[in-house]
Amino acid sequence: MGCAADLARTIPMIVATIDHGLRPASAEEAAGVAGLAARLGLTHRILAWTGPKPAARLQEAARAARYRLLAGLARETDADLVLTGHTLDDQAETVLMRLCAGSGPAGLAGMAPSRVLDGLTPDGPTLGRPFLGVPKARLVATCGARGWPFVRDPSNADPRFGRARLRRLMPRLAEEGLTPERLARLAGRLRRDEAALAQAAASALGDLRRPQPGGEGPLTLDGPGLAALPDALALRVVGLAVASLRGEADQGGPRAYPPRLEQLERIVLGELLPALRGGKPCRRTVAGLLLAAGGGRLALSPAPPRRPPATDPA
C-alpha cells in the first residue's frame, strides 16, 4: 500500500482489505489498514466475507471469496487493474504445494504475473502481482525503513494448513539448494513452456476438428492426425476439446468438475491413443463426456445418464 501511495498522485486508486472473519482480531486489523490508508491519502474499503465457512479446504474457499470480492469491487468502481502483494516466497510455496498435489506443467508454472481476475469474460479486470519476483524479506525491510506498520497473519504459521507446513520446511530445502529463487525460476521456465504447448495444442485442435452432418452433434477429431501427435500434445488437444464441450454444457446445466490430470493421462495416454494407433474401438467417460474412438475418429459428446441402481423387490 505504501508503494501504491507513490503512484496514487497520477493514477486513481482504491485500497481494499478483505476481512475473512476467521479470527477475532481480523476486524481490528482491517481497521488498522484503513487508518494507514488515510494517513497515506488513499481511499479505502473493507470487504467482508460473510456467511457460513466450510469445515474443509478453508484456505481454498477463503482465496476464492477474496478474489470474488475484489472482482466485484473492481466492477463497481470501473477499475481495470487489481494489484496484490504476492512475493517470490509465495510463488515458491505455491510451486511446492502443487508439486505435492501431483500437478503437471500448468500447475508447476505457479502464479501468473497477471491474468484476468474473474475468468468470466476476457475483458474483465486484470489481476497483477508486481512483487512476484521480490523476496518477502525485502518488502518487510522496506516497510521498516519507511515506517509502514504491517501485520503477521497467525494462520501463516498454523500447522493445520499445508502451506504453513511447507513454509517451515523452506530453510531446510534451501540448505540443499532448493531455494525460493530456484523454485520461482522453475515456475517461470514452465510458464514459458506451457504457453508454447498451449498455443500448439490450440492450433492442432483447430486442424483436427471435423465437421458434423447438419453442423450439429458431438465434437469430432481426426483419429490418425491425433494419434500422430507427440503424447504431450495429443493429451493437451483432448483436454482442450473436453474443456470446450464442458464450457458449453455449463451454460445450460449443472457444472461438472474438470478431470484431474492423472485421470486424463490414464484414459488418453493409456487407452484412447493406443486404440487409435491400433485401429481398435474404445469408449471412455471423462468429466460427464463420452469419448469414443473408432472409425478413424475420436468423438466427444455428453455422456448418457447413468441408470439408477436396481433394487430388490420387497
Side-chain angles (χ1 to χ4, degrees), residues 4 13 16 31 53 59 71 78 86 92 100-101 104-105 111 114 118 120 122 135 167 170 175 186 194 223 243 273:
M13 193 169 301
K53 307 298 190 294
Q59 288 199 321
D78 292 326
H86 290 105
C100 293
M111 294 180 284
S114 65
D118 56 18
L120 300 176
R167 185 175 291 121
M170 290 297 291
E175 291 176 1
L186 171 65
E194 174 68 14
L273 284 180

Side-chain angles (χ1 to χ4, degrees), residues 177-214:
L178 194 58
T179 63
E181 289 78 10
R182 283 181 172 167
L183 285 166
R185 192 177 304 126
L186 171 65
R189 289 168 176 164
L190 286 172
R191 192 178 311 113
R192 179 186 60 212
D193 294 347
E194 174 68 14
L197 181 59
Q199 183 178 2
S203 177
L205 177 60
D207 293 340
L208 294 174
R209 290 185 74 138
R210 294 296 176 261
Q212 296 299 312

Side-chain angles (χ1 to χ4, degrees), residues 77-299:
T77 59
D78 292 326
D80 56 9
L81 180 62
V82 175
L83 301 177
T84 66
H86 290 105
T87 67
L88 182 145
D89 300 68
D90 296 319
Q91 180 75 298
E93 292 163 6
T94 297
V95 173
L96 276 180
M97 289 182 66
R98 293 180 180 178
L99 181 63
C100 293
S103 296
L108 296 179
M111 294 180 284
S114 65
R115 65 172 177 83
V116 176
L117 178 56
D118 56 18
L120 300 176
T121 58
D123 58 348
T126 296
L127 171 66
R129 300 180 173 105
F131 300 130
L132 203 55
V134 180
K136 181 179 180 180
R138 179 177 173 183
L139 292 186
V140 171
T142 299
C143 289
R146 300 289 293 271
W148 298 330
F150 59 91
V151 175
R152 297 186 184 275
D153 187 343
S155 65
N156 288 338
D158 192 330
R160 293 179 302 166
F161 303 122
R163 183 178 288 271
R165 294 193 297 272
L166 287 174
R167 185 175 291 121
R168 294 175 62 181
L169 290 175
M170 290 297 291
R172 298 281 297 275
L173 295 175
E175 291 176 1
E176 301 299 328
L178 194 58
T179 63
E181 289 78 10
R182 283 181 172 167
L183 285 166
R185 192 177 304 126
L186 171 65
R189 289 168 176 164
L190 286 172
R191 192 178 311 113
R192 179 186 60 212
D193 294 347
E194 174 68 14
L197 181 59
Q199 183 178 2
S203 177
L205 177 60
D207 293 340
L208 294 174
R209 290 185 74 138
R210 294 296 176 261
Q212 296 299 312
E216 298 180 357
L219 187 156
T220 299
L221 304 178
D222 177 73
L226 180 64
L229 294 176
D231 282 359
L233 189 54
L235 178 68
R236 176 60 64 91
V237 168
V238 176
L240 285 178
V242 168
S244 68
L245 279 186
R246 285 186 62 254
E248 295 173 7
D250 290 345
Q251 296 175 13
R255 185 176 182 85
Y257 289 103
R260 293 184 62 86
L261 178 60
E262 292 90 344
Q263 180 191 23
L264 206 59
E265 288 174 332
R266 184 178 67 253
I267 292 175
V268 176
L269 302 183
E271 301 181 61
L272 291 174
L273 284 180
L276 287 170
R277 290 164 180 164
K280 298 178 180 179
C282 181
R283 294 163 63 91
R284 292 294 181 266
T285 302
V286 176
L289 298 175
L290 175 65
L291 279 60
R297 297 191 172 197
L298 176 65

